[in-house]
């Protein structure tokens, strides 16, 4: 009987960890490229919810051309459609926990980590 209680406790802990992991993955905010102002990554007006930071998922789609040529860029997840162009100049850093390149509005066809 004692082994059954231990096993039950382990299952409960694993379920709780899984729930937290799923919640964390879905808790990131999101911003989508509009290019409303110009082609510059660092221009807040080019994004639906401002320039992405490390805790924000960022999406570039719709045949857009985006340029990061000064400072640094970051995102939690960066999705770039296969029809868009993202140019990062020499000496400029772009960091993301995950990068997705795909064909749809939320690129997920393939991932780079």
């Amino acid at each position: 009987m004692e082994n059954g209680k231990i096993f039950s406790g382990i299952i409960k802990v694993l379920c709780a960890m899984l729930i937290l992991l799923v919640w964390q993955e879905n808790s990131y905010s999101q911003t989508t490229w509009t290019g409303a102002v110009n082609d510059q990554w660092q221009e807040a007006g080019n994004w639906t919810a401002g320039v992405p930071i490390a805790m924000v998922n960022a999406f570039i789609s719709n045949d857009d051309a985006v340029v990061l040529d000064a400072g640094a860029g970051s995102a939690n997840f960066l999705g770039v459609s296969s029809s868009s162009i993202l140019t990062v100049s020499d000496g400029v850093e772009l960091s993301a926990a995950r990068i997705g390149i795909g064909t749809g509005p939320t690129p997920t066809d393939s991932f780079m980590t």
Side-chain angles (χ1 to χ4, degrees):
M1 184 69 171
E2 189 65 32
N3 286 341
K5 287 183 180 180
I6 292 172
F7 182 73
S8 176
I10 291 171
I11 293 297
K12 287 178 184 177
V13 169
L14 290 175
C15 287
M17 290 173 63
L18 180 61
I19 289 169
L20 286 174
L21 181 64
V22 169
W23 174 80
Q24 177 187 13
E25 184 64 27
N26 292 324
S27 67
Y28 292 104
S29 60
Q30 174 178 314
T31 190
T32 302
W33 178 263
T34 65
V37 177
N38 54 33
D39 65 353
Q40 296 297 304
W41 173 285
Q42 298 292 8
E43 173 62 51
N46 287 327
W47 298 94
T48 58
V51 177
I53 58 173
M55 296 300 292
V56 173
N57 295 330
F59 296 95
I60 301 170
S61 59
N62 302 324
D63 300 324
D64 290 320
V66 181
V67 177
L68 178 58
D69 60 3
S74 64
N76 172 58
F77 172 79
L78 174 59
V80 181
S81 72
S82 59
S83 62
S84 295
I85 299 170
L86 173 59
T87 303
V88 181
S89 298
D90 288 341
V92 176
E93 183 177 311
L94 174 61
S95 61
R98 296 182 309 151
I99 298 174
I101 301 171
T103 57
T106 54
T108 57
D109 293 344
S110 60
F111 293 96
M112 299 167 52
T113 56

